Each structure stands twice: as C-alpha cells, then as structure tokens.
Amino acid sequence: MRVVLVDAGGTNIGSVRYALQRLGTDAELTADASRIREATHVILPGVGAAAPGMRRLREAGLVEVLRGLTQPVLGVCLGMQLLCERSEEGDTECLGVIPATVRRFAESPGLRVPHMGWNSLRREAEHPLTAGLEAHDTAYFVHSYRVPSGDYTLVSSEHGVPFSAMVASGNFMGMQFHPERSAGVGARLLKNFLSL
C-alpha cells in the first residue's frame, strides 16, 4: 500500500500525516503527478479557502490528474469541499467529482459561524467507509461552508441545517470533519479508508 497526501498547502497536513502514522502508515507528501497516479490511496487535505486551494492545484497541474484518478481518494475538510462542483466561497469552480455546490452557513441568532467543535454523526447510507460507525459517535468540525445533503451523502450532521459530514461518489470520498482530531472515531474511519 502506498498512500500519498496531496500537497495543496493545507495547514492540517502534518496532523493528518501523524494520524496515519499512528495507524502504521507513512504517507508521502507530494505535488508530483506521477507519484499521485501511482499511489494506492490518495488523500487531499486542506484548511483555508476554496479559491486559494484550487489555485494551488491548478498551479501544480493537478486538477485533471485528480479528476482522472481511479483509486480511492479522500478529501478532508476543505479537501472534501474541493471535490464538489463549485463553492460559494469566492464563486470557485472546484474539481467536480461530487455533484454538489458548497454553501455558506447562514448567520442567525444563536448559530455561530464558523461551526466549530464536536458534533453528532448520523449514518445516511451503508458504505465500507462508515463501517463501525455508531449512533452516538461524534467528530470534530471547523468550517464556515457546508456541502448540502444529497444522494452522495453517507453521513450527515446538523448546524442550523442538516449538512453532509461524509460523502462518496464512485472512488471519491470526503470527510468534512477532521478525522485526525476526532479521537477513536476518526482513527476508525481513516482505517476504513486505508482498507478500501
């Protein structure tokens, strides 16, 4: 097994890499197209904004590379949002492998944006990525933008409105929360991805 972390400038790369090491997997950090294509598993981490994230992928010549991958691909946090068609954040065209538009959480009394902290997970569909997920499980979120629920939603959560906490379309999958900061639940879900 050869796991790569796509170097898209995300500030969570180190913590994702460490979480994988705790599972016995050393992941290579790379922006090299051939190394990404040769990997058995590809992880697109990210923290920040959609437009700079996509600009970094375009500058590295990775947009078509990522769209063309056939092995398991996991987007984490911003990385999940970049898998979608568009983001309202800067009206950004994204990778387009998940048929969704990323929306900002609406400001309302008593609803803090960004959504930050632990929140419950609700399984919406059976998938190998969600194996072992329990009804009481929670994960750690930090985000101002959300992927609405749709046919691609595996797991949902709620912050004023329901949103996708985990998604999948073919070999492309995503986790809106930070599995590397979500204790045993996050470790289990990362292990599920590595077993695909």
Side-chain angles (χ1 to χ4, degrees):
M1 181 168 62
R2 189 159 71 245
V3 182
V4 300
L5 287 164
V6 178
D7 187 2
T11 56
N12 63 335
I13 288 172
S15 56
V16 172
R17 198 174 198 179
Y18 182 60
L20 293 169
Q21 287 173 347
R22 289 195 305 265
L23 296 173
T25 299
D26 273 316
E28 176 187 359
L29 176 64
T30 185
D32 182 273
S34 62
R35 301 294 289 169
I36 293 169
R37 286 192 188 101
E38 292 166 1
T40 60
H41 297 73
V42 176
I43 299 176
L44 177 61
V47 171
M54 284 303 300
R55 183 168 58 249
R56 174 92 179 220
L57 293 178
R58 279 194 303 275
E59 288 170 353
L62 294 179
V63 170
E64 293 307 320
V65 172
L66 292 171
R67 286 174 175 159
L69 294 177
T70 57
Q71 65 269 61
V73 178
L74 178 67
V76 175
C77 193
L78 176 65
M80 174 176 132
Q81 296 179 10
L82 296 183
L83 296 177
C84 296
E85 293 171 338
R86 298 196 71 76
S87 174
E88 286 184 346
E89 188 176 21
D91 190 26
T92 304
E93 181 183 350
C94 298
L95 293 169
V97 295
I98 301 287
T101 297
V102 181
R103 311 270 184 207
R104 182 171 169 79
F105 282 111
E107 305 271 356
S108 63
L111 193 70
R112 197 170 89 187
V113 178
H115 170 223
M116 187 182 306
W118 294 86
N119 209 344
S120 60
L121 302 175
R122 183 172 58 248
R123 191 198 313 251
E124 302 291 352
E126 291 297 321
H127 190 278
L129 191 61
T130 66
L133 193 66
E134 304 288 344
H136 61 274
D137 282 340
T138 60
Y140 187 80
F141 293 84
V142 182
H143 60 131
S144 298
Y145 289 79
R146 63 182 172 83
V147 177
S149 297
D151 292 342
Y152 44 78
T153 304
L154 299 179
V155 174
S156 66
S157 192
E158 191 164 330
H159 186 65
V161 292
F163 65 89
S164 297
M166 294 174 66
V167 298
S169 181
N171 61 304
F172 293 95
M173 291 151 270
M175 299 178 187
Q176 178 62 67
F177 50 87
H178 287 271
E180 76 280 10
R181 296 177 67 183
S182 296
V185 170
R188 187 184 327 133
L189 295 171
L190 284 174
K191 192 172 182 180
N192 289 347
F193 173 72
L194 297 175
S195 70
L196 296 174

